[in-house]
Amino acid sequence: MASNIGMMDSAYFVGRNEILTWINNCLQLNLSRIEEAASGAVQCQMIDMTYPGAVPMHKVNFDAKTEYDMIQNYKVLQDVFNKLKIEKHIEVNRLVKGRPLDNLEFLQWLKRYCDSVNGGIMNENYNPVERRCKGGKGGATMKGCQKAAKSLQTHNMHSHGSGDSVEPRSKPGKNGITGGTNSSAEIQALSKEITELKMSVDLLEKERDFYFAKLRDIEIFCQMPELEDLPMAAAIKMILYAADAKESALTEAQEYIYQSQNRTDVEDENEE
């Protein structure tokens, strides 16, 4: 199983569009942005599709908007991971913030894991809409099921963790001037915010690609026939290929170098 996937695994090179297509096709949703899956409900249902009946869908909140509600979804998911012996720690505090990069990386891992279990073949006997109807808030009724995708798309428009209700817009006057002015200002403000977020995402993706390229160069360098048998190259590859949930890769690599050096010293003394 791919419960532990190293950072150089091809899973982390899968693009946003492919991830969104995978989610929408499997779960009959209509997500257009990665952060729309930040509530954890999508991830719960993906595991439910991979292991039918393993997720207590009545505990999954498809209408989660606050960080508190989202955290409850991730608790359900982590409990299922533990029950299925899936060695994956969920960075809940980062995911519920709705940051695209954090959520993309988790969904990339999830797709890789699900594909390793079912071979990338969709379970034709799984009815995602019907299963969502068995969910908790937002999914208990057919109306809630139909609105599940919409609620996921709109949760990021609310302040995470606040639970405050959105103030109603001011009603237009007789000529509709007041309402029109407010709407125009809101649209401009939202457009500016969207533009800034897109620029931020683009910069983050460029930075990620830059460092992945550097790591790939190091990997290729360590695989050179002249170097691949050297202790230093082997130690570097131990760090590169370490599972993402493993924190002791550096310590193990240092210990490996230390032991290799001791073996070399002993061999030199024996030769003398």
Side-chain angles (χ1 to χ4, degrees):
M1 297 300 179
S3 56
N4 287 326
I5 301 172
M7 65 182 299
M8 294 303 295
D9 191 277
S10 59
Y12 293 110
F13 292 91
V14 177
R16 288 176 293 174
N17 290 337
E18 185 175 344
I19 292 294
L20 289 170
T21 299
W22 172 64
I23 292 173
N24 291 334
N25 288 345
C26 291
L27 302 184
Q28 297 180 25
L29 292 172
N30 189 29
L31 305 187
S32 59
R33 296 178 298 157
I34 288 295
E35 56 267 37
E36 291 168 13
S39 73
V42 165
Q43 292 84 335
C44 285
Q45 190 165 17
M46 276 298 182
I47 292 296
D48 186 68
M49 182 186 69
T50 305
Y51 295 99
V55 178
M57 296 298 289
H58 64 281
K59 294 183 179 181
V60 179
N61 185 350
F62 289 95
D63 198 32
K65 295 181 178 66
T66 67
E67 286 189 12
Y68 175 81
D69 289 337
M70 295 177 193
I71 288 171
Q72 304 313 305
N73 283 342
Y74 284 111
K75 284 184 178 179
V76 172
L77 186 62
Q78 188 70 73
D79 287 343
V80 174
F81 278 6
N82 295 339
K83 185 183 299 182
L84 297 174
K85 301 188 185 307
I86 299 175
E87 297 178 1
K88 175 66 175 177
H89 174 68
I90 303 173
E91 299 288 348
V92 179
N93 291 333
R94 297 172 63 181
L95 294 174
V96 297
K97 299 298 181 184
R99 287 191 288 259
L101 187 58
D102 291 330
N103 281 275
L104 176 61
E105 289 181 354
F106 185 59
L107 289 169
Q108 286 170 330
W109 173 88
L110 185 64
K111 183 178 188 304
R112 177 72 173 84
Y113 178 79
C114 292
D115 287 350
S116 73
V117 175
N118 56 32
I121 300 174
M122 191 181 305
N123 184 352
E124 296 181 355
N125 296 322
Y126 185 82
N127 187 329
V129 176
E130 181 180 324
R131 287 295 289 167
R132 280 198 292 278
C133 290
K134 298 182 182 298
K137 184 179 179 182
T141 64
M142 182 56 70
K143 183 178 179 181
C145 296
Q146 294 169 346
K147 294 171 65 177
K150 184 177 180 181
S151 66
L152 283 169
Q153 293 172 355
T154 57
H155 84 267
N156 281 304
M157 296 180 65
H158 297 264
S159 298
H160 288 301
S162 66
D164 296 336
S165 58
V166 179
E167 291 294 329
R169 297 180 181 176
S170 57
K171 295 182 180 179
K174 292 181 178 180
N175 296 324
I177 296 175
T178 303
T181 302
N182 289 344
S183 297
S184 177
E186 288 178 4
I187 291 172
Q188 290 179 0
L190 288 172
S191 297
K192 182 180 179 181
E193 184 179 355
I194 290 172
T195 301
E196 291 175 350
L197 287 172
K198 286 182 177 179
M199 290 177 63
S200 178
V201 170
D202 288 341
L203 288 172
L204 286 171
E205 290 186 337
K206 287 179 181 178
E207 184 178 4
R208 180 197 64 181
D209 293 342
F210 173 80
Y211 286 112
F212 268 128
K214 293 295 183 185
L215 290 169
R216 178 58 178 157
D217 289 342
I218 293 172
E219 180 184 36
I220 293 173
F221 183 76
C222 290
Q223 290 174 344
M224 293 175 60
E226 301 87 348
L227 301 175
E228 62 179 354
D229 293 330
L230 295 178
M232 182 58 70
I236 291 173
K237 285 190 284 187
M238 287 175 66
I239 297 173
L240 285 177
Y241 300 148
D244 56 354
K246 197 170 186 178
E247 299 178 355
S248 59
L250 178 59
T251 303
E252 290 184 4
Q254 291 172 331
E255 181 65 23
Y256 178 80
I257 291 292
Y258 177 74
Q259 292 178 358
S260 298
Q261 185 61 48
N262 285 344
R263 284 196 296 269
T264 301
D265 292 342
V266 171
E267 291 174 358
D268 291 342
E269 290 177 0
N270 291 337
E271 290 179 0
E272 293 177 0

